[in-house]
Structures are given as structure tokens and as C-alpha cells.
Amino acid sequence: MALRSHIPWLILAVSLLLLIAIQPYAAGYGQFRVTLLQSLLTRWSDPTWQHGALAPLIAAFLVWQRRDTLAELPTRPSVIGLVIIAVAMLAYFAGFKANNYYFGFISVQLLIAGATLWLYGYQPFKTILFPWLILGFSWPLVFLEDSLAFQLRLVVLEGVSQTLNLLHIPTLRDGTALISAASESRAVGDLFRLQVDGPCSGMRSLFALMLVGALFSHFRQPTVGRQLILFATTIPLAVIANMVRILILLAASAAFGQDFAVGDQDQEVSTFHFVSGIAVFIVALTGLQAISTLVNRLTPADTQRNPESPSSC
């Protein structure tokens, strides 16, 4: 009986292995094809998407954490699962023909949901809904890099510029550069001159912070509504945290020089520039904790946890 109960999962695992790691799928251009796993490994090596490598492990751990609850739930297979599996396979085929790996990512996500509903039913799927959503962070959304990163950079530039001017530190914007304005004793750019490139837009930390924010919200708040409220603050907190990092770099440039704070032409970034990235996560996590505390004070206490959450963590 124990072996038979694991057969559906073995079939699903083999199916995913074939679809992800064996079948050449799409490289995103021309007729050249690589497997979805190869695409993922390539993208996960990029600092912007390297958090994606952790998402499957986190999702698997969350499911394992719910193993006792899942074992107690009745099995009531749903035909809706077959419909979702059919949609997943159509998406996989469409992505294969169009040489578009995003359809492959969608199909794998849907296949897991459909198989769970078909084999076990609504209640088991509801129990693993959060881990299933966490799995979605595995997929690198590279198409957002150009459009979203540029918009984030503009928001950060404007925010930092306005903040410095409010602090009576005259600052000019020249394209995507922040430059200290002229004063009686200094020429333009004498105090600092910082070019905010694409990697400094906050894109590298945005999705990683969203993953952290989702986990933080899930375990720190008892209801779905409160979890969503807390998670919704992740994006503005990521922007604010990146603004703080830019301000730190500008302060270090003014105090110790551009080479120390940012780097020179012989090195990509200075050690200080690299370490300052930690400030983004410190500020964001501090903000999440503060907002969580505020939500707890403003919202009536609710001792009943979200049913898909474990009783303890």
C-alpha cells in the first residue's frame, strides 16, 4: 500500500524530469533549443534571479512541513485537475513551437497544480497552495529587466534627489546620474558624482525581497488578508531600501572619495559598494517587522491561523 500511494508522485516526478531536464525546449531565439533546466541554470547564475534556485527547495520544505496534515486529509480527486493538466500541456506545446520558455515555465507550474487536484482533490491542494505559489519565484521573468528596471531607476533617482534637496544638500540629475550642485566653496560634482546604472535600479533585490516578504508575511500574520496587506508593502519597501543604499554610497563618496565608495576604472565595484547591498535587506526586513507590528495593533487579534499554514514554524 505504501508503494502504491507513492506511485502517482513518482509518475509526476518522472514527467517533470522529462519536460524540464530531458526534452530540448527553447533558447528564446532562432531554432537553437536547450532544456528548461538549462535555461533556468543560466538565468539563476545572474544575481537578479539567483534567488530562484532557492524557491524549489523552500517550496519542497514547506510541503514536507505539512506532511502530517496532508496524511490526515481525505482524498477526493477532482476532474478539474485533468482540465488544468490539459491546459498545461497545451501551454507546453505552444511554447515549444514558439521557442518561448515562459510558456514552459507556466506549463510546469500548472501541471503540478493539476496533478495535485486530479489525484488528491481540493483540500490537499489548498494545503499546499502557499508552497505552490512560492515555487512561482523559481521562474526568471527576464522580459521585465529592461522596462521595469528602467522605471525603478527613475523612481529611485527622483526619490534620492528630492530627499537630498530637502536635507539642504543641493543635487542635480543628469540623465541617470546624481551630481552635487555648485556652492560657494565647491564646483559642480566636487562633493559627489554617482552614475546609477541598471544594476543599481533595485531590480536585483526586488524579486528576492518579494520572496522573503512572502515568507515573512505568511509566518508572521495569522490570516490571508493580513498576509496580503504585509506582502503588498514589499515593493515600496524595496524601493525605499534601494534609496537608502544610494544615499549611503553618496555619503561615502563625499566622505572618502569615489574610488572607495563605488570603485575605479580598474575594478567593477569597490568592496564598500558590494557590502552596501546588505543595507537593502536590513532596511526592508526592518520595515516589514515594523509594518507587521502596526498591522497587529490596528487589526483585531485573530487566533485562528490560515488553514493552509502549519500550526507552528
Side-chain angles (χ1 to χ4, degrees), residues 17 25 112 122 133 145 179 190 209 224 253 270 274 279 283 294:
L17 179 66
Y25 193 73
I112 294 172
Y122 173 74
L133 292 173
E145 287 187 0
I179 306 171
D190 276 0
L209 284 174
V224 173
S253 295
S270 68
F274 178 77
V283 171
L294 181 62

Side-chain angles (χ1 to χ4, degrees), residues 94-113:
F96 178 83
K97 297 299 290 185
N99 205 11
N100 187 312
Y101 44 74
Y102 295 115
F103 281 93
F105 298 158
I106 292 172
S107 68
V108 172
Q109 188 84 12
L110 289 177
L111 178 61
I112 294 172

Side-chain angles (χ1 to χ4, degrees), residues 213-297:
L215 294 168
F216 186 94
S217 303
H218 183 72
F219 287 114
R220 294 308 298 267
Q221 292 298 326
T223 64
V224 173
R226 289 165 64 166
Q227 290 166 7
L228 291 175
I229 291 172
L230 187 57
F231 176 71
T233 66
T234 304
I235 295 178
L237 282 174
V239 173
I240 293 171
N242 199 51
M243 286 174 53
V244 171
R245 185 193 183 196
I246 299 298
L247 289 169
I248 290 173
L249 292 175
L250 290 173
S253 295
F256 305 107
Q258 195 85 2
D259 290 352
F260 171 84
V262 182
D264 54 32
Q265 296 180 352
D266 297 328
Q267 62 185 88
E268 185 177 352
V269 295
S270 68
T271 302
F272 183 84
H273 190 180
F274 178 77
V275 174
S276 67
I278 300 174
V280 174
F281 289 90
I282 293 175
V283 171
L285 288 174
T286 302
L288 281 172
Q289 179 59 52
I291 295 171
S292 179
T293 302
L294 181 62
V295 169
N296 289 337
R297 290 180 178 178

Side-chain angles (χ1 to χ4, degrees), residues 22-262:
I22 305 298
Q23 172 62 45
Y25 193 73
Y29 53 88
Q31 296 302 312
F32 178 66
R33 294 185 184 276
V34 296
T35 65
L36 288 174
L37 179 60
Q38 288 173 311
S39 295
L40 286 173
L41 293 176
T42 300
R43 299 302 181 184
W44 287 346
S45 64
D46 185 333
T48 303
W49 306 107
Q50 60 188 2
H51 66 276
L54 295 175
L57 301 178
I58 295 172
F61 171 76
L62 292 173
V63 172
W64 176 83
Q65 196 179 40
R66 292 157 169 75
R67 64 193 183 281
D68 293 336
T69 301
L70 289 169
E72 296 174 358
L73 292 175
T75 300
R76 295 174 181 172
S78 172
V79 71
I80 296 176
L82 278 177
V83 176
I84 296 176
I85 291 173
V87 172
M89 293 296 96
L90 287 174
Y92 188 89
F93 180 72
F96 178 83
K97 297 299 290 185
N99 205 11
N100 187 312
Y101 44 74
Y102 295 115
F103 281 93
F105 298 158
I106 292 172
S107 68
V108 172
Q109 188 84 12
L110 289 177
L111 178 61
I112 294 172
T116 305
L117 283 167
W118 180 40
L119 296 171
Y120 298 101
Y122 173 74
Q123 285 298 328
F125 178 70
K126 184 178 179 181
T127 302
I128 67 164
L129 177 60
F130 181 70
W132 181 77
L133 292 173
I134 289 295
L135 184 64
F137 285 99
S138 304
W139 318 122
L141 306 179
V142 184
F143 66 91
L144 293 176
E145 287 187 0
D146 292 332
S147 58
L148 183 56
F150 182 72
Q151 296 301 322
L152 282 173
R153 185 161 31 154
L154 293 180
V155 171
V156 169
L157 282 166
E158 184 64 24
V160 172
S161 176
Q162 293 293 338
T163 300
L164 289 173
N165 285 313
L166 286 173
L167 294 173
H168 303 291
I169 305 174
T171 304
L172 303 173
R173 279 185 53 190
D174 182 12
T176 56
L178 293 170
I179 306 171
S180 58
S183 64
E184 294 181 359
S185 58
R186 295 188 180 92
V188 174
D190 276 0
L191 190 59
F192 57 79
R193 183 186 296 267
L194 180 65
Q195 177 67 40
V196 181
D197 294 323
C200 294
S201 65
M203 188 70 179
R204 286 187 171 179
S205 56
L206 176 61
F207 287 95
L209 284 174
M210 289 178 67
L211 172 59
V212 172
L215 294 168
F216 186 94
S217 303
H218 183 72
F219 287 114
R220 294 308 298 267
Q221 292 298 326
T223 64
V224 173
R226 289 165 64 166
Q227 290 166 7
L228 291 175
I229 291 172
L230 187 57
F231 176 71
T233 66
T234 304
I235 295 178
L237 282 174
V239 173
I240 293 171
N242 199 51
M243 286 174 53
V244 171
R245 185 193 183 196
I246 299 298
L247 289 169
I248 290 173
L249 292 175
L250 290 173
S253 295
F256 305 107
Q258 195 85 2
D259 290 352
F260 171 84
V262 182

